[in-house]
Amino acid sequence: MKLQRKNRVRALAVGALAVSGALALTACGSDDTTAGGGGGGGSAKSANIKCEGKGKLLASGSSAQKNAMDVWVQNYSGACKDTEINYQPTGSGAGVTTFLQGQTAFAGSDSALKPEEVTKSKQVCKGGQAIDLPMVGGPIAIGYNVPGVDNLVLDAPTLAKIFDSKITKWNDAAIKKLNPDAKLPDLKIQAFHRSDDSGTTDNFTKYLKGAAPGDWKHEPAKKWEGTGGQAASGSAGVSSQVKQTSGAISYFELSYATSGKIPTVKLNTGAKAPVEATVDNASKAISEAQQVGKGNDLALKLNYTTKAEGAYPITLVTYEIACDKGNKAATLPATKSFLTYVSSKDGQAALKALGYAPLPTEIADKVRATVKTLS
């Protein structure tokens, strides 16, 4: 199923949104569909948030969606007072593990569940199984810190060699060929990768494997498999290292580059012009995704090798992973309420201002319909 660009969610007019750095913020979320029902603390008419459920809702996972989660929870907490939502950006791998242990209501993951993870989820989702609900889209930016260079073009083979320690100097001939007008220094490349199991790593290495199979011999995975380099934890960790380390390069969600004022690589994809990491350019690539999940599982297959004009191929889709059936009675109302807001037009509209791509309308409608059926 092709996702049509014309169906993409149009960003609604939104004011400037302050991104909170807190790891735990409060909010509200019940099976009851009445605004303010279930003891929620407000109607939030401006965002159409329905407060349902009480108590504490724990979730963890993808750090790529942390900035989106911060704003979603902040907006939600302004409407609802009786439910505390605590999302910890521990990384996709850790988030899925914690969810499969029954410790959280839902998990954020930048990669869809593996078959063995779905099987294991049946122990937690009594009478059901975990499903993938796409919620956040956007580009994986390649940020760099090269003194005197503010416009850098790379391609997939060169990136593969850089991150596999085959290219070690910024004035390497391959980089010079792509940047004939740049003053590239004789400076050691400091390539940083994630130390934690990461869906961002999984998607980045899928791109390298798909677009440069001759140069990237490792299989895509959440765990870093490349040769050499240095490691840091989370998107915040690797972006911080790039910002403070001369000669550094790494991969992370675009909002970390934007907030840290870190320059990003333009990709030579084979299109007429190098493609910049922007929300709109990522949306062009995500619109080519295909649904590969069955039934209520909305897992997507992304096209990492697109050569379409203006399509930025290093993209990810972050999924919220929840039980289709067998959710805990104590947290189900708040889970449904919060995910209903997150997938709503208002929730999605908040994304573009943060450097994320709102879901295409066709998929967003399916997500909303599926959230309603969680039980």
Side-chain angles (χ1 to χ4, degrees):
M1 176 184 62
K2 293 290 184 181
L3 304 182
Q4 301 300 322
R5 275 186 286 171
K6 65 181 181 180
N7 287 332
R8 293 201 306 270
V9 177
R10 292 183 179 181
L12 303 177
V14 291
L17 295 173
V19 179
S20 167
L23 297 183
L25 298 172
T26 58
C28 163
S30 160
D31 235 338
D32 189 331
T33 58
T34 323
S43 61
K45 294 180 180 178
S46 62
N48 297 313
I49 297 174
K50 296 180 180 180
C51 303
E52 302 169 350
K54 292 184 178 181
K56 180 178 290 188
L57 191 67
L58 299 178
S60 65
S62 166
S63 64
Q65 71 169 356
K66 175 189 179 295
N67 293 338
M69 270 291 174
D70 283 348
V71 169
W72 280 334
V73 176
Q74 180 180 348
N75 290 348
Y76 204 54
S77 67
C80 312
K81 307 298 181 184
D82 289 354
T83 301
E84 178 186 353
I85 296 181
N86 187 331
Y87 181 83
Q88 298 287 342
T90 55
S92 297
V96 171
T97 296
T98 303
F99 174 79
L100 294 176
Q101 293 172 344
Q103 297 179 31
T104 51
F106 67 89
S109 177
D110 304 324
S111 299
L113 291 167
K114 297 178 180 178
E116 59 269 26
E117 293 171 331
V118 174
T119 299
K120 188 174 182 180
S121 74
K122 295 178 181 180
Q123 301 174 19
V124 175
C125 307
K126 303 301 181 182
Q129 65 179 47
I131 56 174
D132 300 286
L133 299 171
M135 208 69 74
V136 180
I140 300 173
I142 309 298
Y144 66 95
N145 181 346
V146 183
V149 179
D150 55 10
N151 186 13
L152 182 67
V153 176
L154 296 174
D155 59 13
T158 305
L159 280 169
K161 292 172 185 175
I162 286 172
F163 281 92
D164 207 25
S165 299
K166 301 297 190 298
I167 292 178
T168 59
K169 288 290 189 72
W170 278 111
N171 61 351
D172 185 272
I175 302 177
K176 282 184 176 181
K177 185 176 180 180
L178 291 165
N179 301 272
D181 298 326
K183 295 182 179 180
L184 297 165
D186 182 14
L187 178 67
K188 182 180 178 181
I189 294 174
Q190 307 281 354
F192 285 88
H193 57 264
R194 293 277 291 271
S195 60
D196 52 319
D197 286 1
S198 160
T200 309
T201 294
D202 191 23
N203 281 279
F204 178 55
T205 54
K206 282 178 180 175
Y207 164 75
L208 295 177
K209 186 69 172 180
D215 296 293
W216 188 260
K217 302 296 186 181
H218 313 283
E219 289 303 312
K222 292 179 182 178
K223 180 179 176 62
W224 182 255
E225 299 291 345
T227 303
Q230 302 178 62
S233 180
S235 296
V238 291
S239 61
S240 176
Q241 288 296 329
V242 169
K243 189 172 179 64
Q244 67 189 23
T245 306
S246 181
I249 186 171
S250 190
Y251 56 93
F252 36 82
E253 190 275 320
L254 179 61
S255 69
Y256 289 88
T258 303
S259 62
K261 297 182 179 179
I262 300 170
T264 61
V265 168
K266 294 179 181 178
L267 290 179
N268 182 336
T269 64
K272 291 180 181 179
V275 184
E276 189 176 356
T278 69
V279 170
D280 289 338
N281 290 346
S283 291
K284 290 179 182 179
I286 293 172
S287 71
E288 298 183 16
Q290 292 180 306
Q291 182 182 335
V292 293
K294 305 299 182 182
N296 283 340
D297 188 287
L298 302 180
L300 303 174
K301 182 179 180 180
L302 299 170
N303 181 4
Y304 295 103
T305 59
T306 179
K307 292 179 174 59
E309 296 300 323
Y312 184 83
I314 315 181
T315 60
L316 61 77
V317 171
T318 297
Y319 302 90
E320 310 312 332
I321 294 168
C323 296
D324 59 355
K325 299 178 182 178
N327 288 277
K328 294 179 181 179
T331 57
L332 175 61
T335 299
K336 292 180 68 174
S337 177
F338 181 67
L339 295 182
T340 294
Y341 161 62
V342 166
S343 60
S344 71
K345 290 183 179 180
D346 289 335
Q348 290 292 303
L351 293 177
K352 195 167 184 179
L354 302 173
Y356 298 99
L359 294 174
T361 300
E362 186 177 0
I363 288 298
D365 288 344
K366 286 191 173 186
V367 172
R368 294 164 197 152
T370 302
V371 170
K372 289 180 181 179
T373 68
L374 300 182
S375 62

